[in-house]
Amino acid sequence: MKKMFVGPEPPPVEPDGEAIHFDEDGFTRSSHLIRTMGWRQSWRWDEITAFGFAFSPAMFPDPWFGDYMESQWFFTVKGETGPENIYFDVEWLDIDSLPPVLLEHMPGLDLEVLRRGLAAAAVGFHNYEGAGRWIGWQRAKPRKRSRTAKVPTRPKAAKRPSQAK
């Protein structure tokens, strides 16, 4: 009965697995390692400055296939020391059915830019020439206030009586 009204329960997260969640508050990435290390797991929407796709050489070679390329989504967020990229596996998002809350908080998201990155990755995990980063959304940077230079004005000198005509 419960499954009829609530739906199926999500599968349990594997001990070394990762969970991604989007809601009205923001984005959460969690895993056993992240929790154990005490790393930050959640970011508010206003802290996210960019969203994109990366296709790059994997950090560690595969024992059977050697070097290969890795596909990842990423968010750029405001970190304590500057911009920080939060990467997560490409399997977590489907370009054709992105979470509505993600689309709502990223107006103007350019799906075609992201599709170009996905197309490069679709060539295969040995497509080293296809490496790159495709940013589909970036928060507009606030305009810097222009400073008007204060030019000291000299008071007009009073004419001396001897100079007056």
Side-chain angles (χ1 to χ4, degrees):
M1 242 357 194
K2 181 179 177 185
K3 286 183 183 179
M4 257 173 50
F5 295 107
V6 179
E9 291 184 29
V13 177
E14 295 178 23
D16 60 343
E18 182 175 55
I20 305 294
H21 179 72
F22 302 95
D23 60 24
E24 284 301 320
D25 295 328
F27 162 71
T28 301
R29 179 188 72 170
S30 184
S31 70
H32 178 71
L33 175 64
I34 291 170
R35 287 187 302 277
T36 302
M37 299 297 288
W39 294 338
R40 186 169 180 187
Q41 299 180 70
S42 296
W43 294 267
R44 296 183 322 271
W45 289 114
D46 65 342
E47 294 177 287
I48 297 172
T49 60
F51 172 66
F53 178 79
F55 186 59
S56 57
M59 188 177 294
F60 302 105
D62 183 273
W64 293 275
F65 298 106
D67 291 334
Y68 68 98
M69 299 293 284
E70 192 170 51
S71 301
Q72 296 178 312
W73 295 108
F74 68 89
F75 283 109
T76 303
V77 298
K78 297 174 187 173
E80 291 178 12
T81 59
E84 179 182 338
N85 291 316
I86 308 299
Y87 292 94
F88 57 100
D89 196 271
V90 70
E91 301 291 323
W92 278 105
L93 291 177
D94 177 1
I95 190 83
D96 295 319
S97 59
L98 293 172
V101 71
L102 184 137
L103 296 171
E104 176 186 326
H105 288 279
M106 296 186 177
L109 175 63
D110 190 341
L111 295 177
E112 290 310 310
V113 168
L114 299 175
R115 287 183 204 286
R116 286 196 296 269
L118 290 165
V123 172
F125 62 91
H126 284 128
N127 179 21
Y128 302 107
E129 296 80 31
R133 289 170 48 95
W134 294 264
I135 297 175
W137 178 83
Q138 193 161 7
R139 185 175 306 281
K141 294 182 181 175
R143 288 185 174 177
K144 291 184 179 179
R145 292 187 345 189
S146 62
R147 290 186 178 180
T148 54
K150 291 187 177 181
V151 179
T153 57
R154 285 206 231 155
K156 293 184 180 180
K159 291 185 178 181
R160 292 187 192 160
S162 61
Q163 292 176 340
K165 292 186 181 180

